[in-house]
Amino acid sequence: MVSRRLMGVWAILAFFLAAAGGITIAFSIIWKAPNLMRNIAISSQDLLAGLVLGIAFVVTFVIALAAIIQPNHNVTGLAILNWTLLLDAFGVGIVGSFIWFYTLTERNDYHLVMSKESAATWQAVQDKLQCCGYFNSTDLGTIGGFCTDATFAANATPCVGPITEYADYTLNNIFSLFIPTAQIYGFMAVILALFLATMCRNEAERFRRIDEKRGGRGFV
């Protein structure tokens, strides 16, 4: 018989996975709202990847429920669940690593991002961060608002520092393990723990069958 403690741990981990899916979906939708700096730091592709991951977590939770309500001798559903968890782990690794690699070349990466922004967005960024241009006042920036004229802009702080500082803080908080239940790499702990708990559940059933063949005498 599968221990109640194991099933309790399994249920908690499954709930954590569902919560992770809900959190990821919620933030992927909420962060689509207009926000000057966040919309620059986090691309629509990042949010789409988060939404896909969140949906995958919720689907995995549904598969987990369907698998666990099966009779103990039927472990096919649990095997399917573990394969699904491995796919989830692969997805988390890909998304998290992509974000991490992006943080390694932020200055050049966000130069490309900012080169696609309109003059109005540039002026809003310059006004908010009180800087002019990207690498310097003549690089991508615009005259107006905080950067009143070319002379003032030439002596002002370039925006590369403030932009990448904000982006680095945002991206690192997304993929890091600082808050395990709320960030990309932190989800890996939940997925792998549920995978191991499911494996233990399968092993418990396997040993039960062996014990049954031995006439219920156990191994001692």
Side-chain angles (χ1 to χ4, degrees), residues 37 124-131 146 159 162-163:
M37 296 307 299
V125 170
Q126 291 176 157
D127 290 347
K128 182 177 180 63
L129 301 179
Q130 296 191 336
C131 57
F146 175 76
C159 294
I163 289 175

Side-chain angles (χ1 to χ4, degrees), residues 15-26:
F15 172 77
F16 281 167
L17 184 65
I23 290 171
T24 306
I25 291 172

